[in-house]
Amino acid sequence: MIAVTGATGNVGSALVAQLAAEGRPVRALSRRPDRTRLPEGGSAGAVDAVRADFADPPEGRGLEALFEGATGLFLHVGAVGGSTRSVVEAATRAGVRRIVVLSSGAISGHGDGGTADEANPIAAFHLAAERAVRAAAPEWTLLRPNAFAANAFSYAPQIRAGGDVVRGPYARAAMAPVHERDMAAVAAHALLNDGPEHAGRDGGPNGQGGPGSHHGAVHRLTGPASVTTAEQVRLIGDALGRPLRFEEVPEENAAEELYADMPRPFLRVMLDAFAASVGTPPEITTTVEDVTGVPARTFAEWAADHTADFR
């Protein structure tokens, strides 16, 4: 059994669907498991949707009860938040051996962070979670995605309102957004296999797993190509059959409305990253294809997959 935190989120629900399609038993952990319809499961097992508030664990064995019978764990750092250490320790006590962490590409390189990372609130938050996993889990893999394609959902209210102009900051900010299904596919491979079956990859920075092993590996994830903010909006319009265009406005006029749910320190870091990415080619990796054998999905494919979310 694989336990999945953040199971009703973009990446978590995609992972639950992929594991279920392979007939793997899944325990889908979420504060609100009723929010999203989860798959029924495949021939080898079903999806068990369980309410999990990690800051308010169930009575009795507490957090350990959530992981009984599971051997693998997908740890969505954003979903677990400040409870990462207690969750990881409870999971390993319950018998979980392999943990795959959805961390952040805000952490530089493949290492364990440096001065710049410690000064970056997003990087520091995820580094603390990574270190807790490294210290407690018998086997671990770190996923460090850069820009999520799903960040474009922030434009959905404007698009659903019916106008053809989307307003926001940094029209020429360049990124390589990664599809949540690609992040989930890499996570599934790391949870279910000892190492990539396709193009070989080195182990992690400490070499714990040896060549080709997922254990100790740090997988940096991106989409396959650079796409600016303005191009993302145009591609969403193409998928919808509408002539959408992006109009740049100063960040102070739009940022808080677009990213209302983001903690203010994180928002400042993200906006600074957008500003720095104007005219700068983004990092592009081949990790998705290296691990899964399938090329990473383009942003146009992501937009086509999500037309219903913008209508």
Side-chain angles (χ1 to χ4, degrees), residues 160-195:
R160 287 197 295 261
D164 290 332
V165 177
V166 174
R167 294 174 177 84
Y170 303 114
R172 295 184 297 115
M175 58 207 78
V178 59
H179 198 306
E180 63 271 6
R181 287 168 60 190
D182 287 333
M183 290 184 269
V186 173
H189 276 264
L191 285 162
L192 301 177
N193 304 298
D194 290 332

Side-chain angles (χ1 to χ4, degrees), residues 5-253:
T5 62
T8 54
N10 293 313
V11 181
S13 59
L15 176 58
V16 169
Q18 290 186 31
L19 293 171
E22 294 192 25
R24 301 284 182 164
V26 181
R27 182 167 297 144
L29 303 175
S30 173
R31 292 183 182 86
R32 291 287 307 278
D34 58 323
R35 287 180 59 185
T36 303
R37 185 179 181 277
L38 294 166
E40 298 296 327
S43 59
V47 175
D48 180 22
V50 175
R51 180 185 179 277
D53 185 341
F54 300 110
D56 183 21
E59 296 181 2
R61 292 192 64 202
L63 287 174
E64 286 183 49
L66 296 174
F67 305 104
E68 288 178 349
T71 58
L73 168 63
F74 175 72
L75 184 74
H76 188 316
V77 175
V80 176
S83 301
T84 295
R85 183 176 298 278
S86 56
V87 166
V88 169
E89 291 175 351
T92 54
R93 286 196 303 269
V96 168
R97 289 196 51 80
R98 183 173 296 188
I99 299 180
V100 173
V101 183
L102 184 64
S103 184
S104 171
I107 303 169
S108 58
H110 287 76
D112 189 31
T115 302
D117 289 331
E118 297 293 353
N120 178 324
I122 298 176
F125 174 75
H126 288 87
L127 272 171
E130 289 186 2
R131 288 167 180 160
V133 172
R134 290 179 192 239
E139 299 177 13
W140 52 265
T141 305
L142 308 179
L143 309 184
R144 291 180 179 170
N146 285 350
F148 286 32
N151 289 345
F153 283 141
S154 62
Y155 302 120
Q158 293 185 61
I159 295 171
R160 287 197 295 261
D164 290 332
V165 177
V166 174
R167 294 174 177 84
Y170 303 114
R172 295 184 297 115
M175 58 207 78
V178 59
H179 198 306
E180 63 271 6
R181 287 168 60 190
D182 287 333
M183 290 184 269
V186 173
H189 276 264
L191 285 162
L192 301 177
N193 304 298
D194 290 332
E197 299 75 47
H198 306 283
R201 290 181 56 82
D202 293 335
N206 300 317
Q208 290 97 329
S213 175
H214 283 301
H215 172 45
V218 179
H219 293 318
R220 295 190 66 84
L221 306 178
T222 75
S226 176
V227 188
T228 67
T229 305
E231 288 168 341
Q232 288 182 44
V233 169
R234 178 182 59 77
L235 289 167
I236 293 169
D238 289 347
L240 294 170
R242 291 171 55 187
L244 294 182
R245 63 183 178 85
F246 189 84
E247 181 179 293
E248 183 172 300
V249 297
E251 65 176 47
E252 59 268 21
N253 293 356

